[in-house]
Amino acid sequence: MFAANYRSRLQPFSALSPEVFVDLLRKVKERHGLEPGQYLDVYVLDSYFNRNPDRIVKIADQLEKTGLRAYFELYVRHNGLQAFLKKRAEGSQTPVVNEQLIEAYRRLGIDEIVMGVDAYTERSIRMLKTNVVQLARSGDQARPLYSF
């Protein structure tokens, strides 16, 4: 299942609204005639899924409200950890964890997030065209993305 749809050349994908996403799951439940105690695995293969943390919270709210949550085991391809961090407080070096998003994942039944690491050496960072000069200038002012 994809949680985004094709739009145009200028904006190739847009995220499905929580209402549309939940309605698609309702239709899947009806089509398969799921009864209490039965569920389907749903793999959300959408790199835009976590782009808007508020959307995930709304999806969790609606799945609970409609009673559909029990019929689906969700697996998500999460694209980076940035969404798990709120913008840090002024002057703070430590990012603040977005607890509301983590709780929404728990309510969705997602208790494990697996990600790959794209770069772990200077050579691989350069291959990915990361601006190492900017990182060197930023030093300890750079926001940590993968530790909290």
Side-chain angles (χ1 to χ4, degrees):
M1 170 178 247
F2 290 89
N5 63 349
Y6 182 75
R7 271 190 123 180
S8 71
R9 203 177 98 169
L10 298 175
Q11 183 181 354
F13 292 94
S14 67
L16 297 178
S17 71
E19 296 79 14
V20 171
F21 184 82
V22 171
D23 191 51
L24 285 171
L25 291 177
R26 180 190 58 74
K27 289 175 182 175
V28 167
K29 177 192 174 280
E30 289 173 1
R31 173 176 264 177
H32 289 279
L34 296 177
E35 301 198 18
Q38 296 179 318
Y39 68 92
L40 289 174
D41 290 336
V42 175
Y43 294 85
V44 183
L45 305 173
D46 173 17
S47 56
Y48 291 106
F49 182 76
N50 68 313
R51 187 173 265 183
N52 180 349
D54 292 335
R55 179 173 161 254
I56 297 170
V57 171
K58 288 176 184 173
I59 289 171
D61 290 345
Q62 288 192 21
L63 283 176
E64 284 182 339
K65 181 179 161 185
T66 60
L68 288 170
R69 168 59 194 97
Y71 295 97
F72 300 98
E73 187 72 31
L74 298 175
Y75 300 90
V76 177
R77 175 184 180 263
H78 204 284
N79 192 20
L81 293 176
Q82 187 66 35
F84 286 111
L85 305 175
K86 290 184 176 180
K87 292 183 179 179
R88 61 180 172 216
E90 192 67 36
S92 171
Q93 290 300 311
T94 306
V96 179
V97 175
N98 187 338
E99 296 289 345
Q100 188 179 18
L101 177 62
I102 291 171
E103 180 57 31
Y105 268 76
R106 286 185 183 124
R107 292 188 294 131
L108 289 170
I110 301 167
D111 56 7
E112 180 177 85
I113 297 169
V114 179
M115 286 182 241
V117 177
D118 293 330
Y120 60 92
T121 66
E122 277 196 47
R123 182 171 180 237
S124 60
I125 290 171
R126 280 186 173 63
M127 285 174 40
L128 290 171
K129 300 179 182 175
T130 299
N131 189 338
V132 291
V133 173
Q134 182 182 359
L135 288 173
R137 287 183 187 147
S138 304
D140 62 359
Q141 298 299 310
R143 182 175 180 184
L145 295 179
Y146 295 102
S147 62
F148 56 86

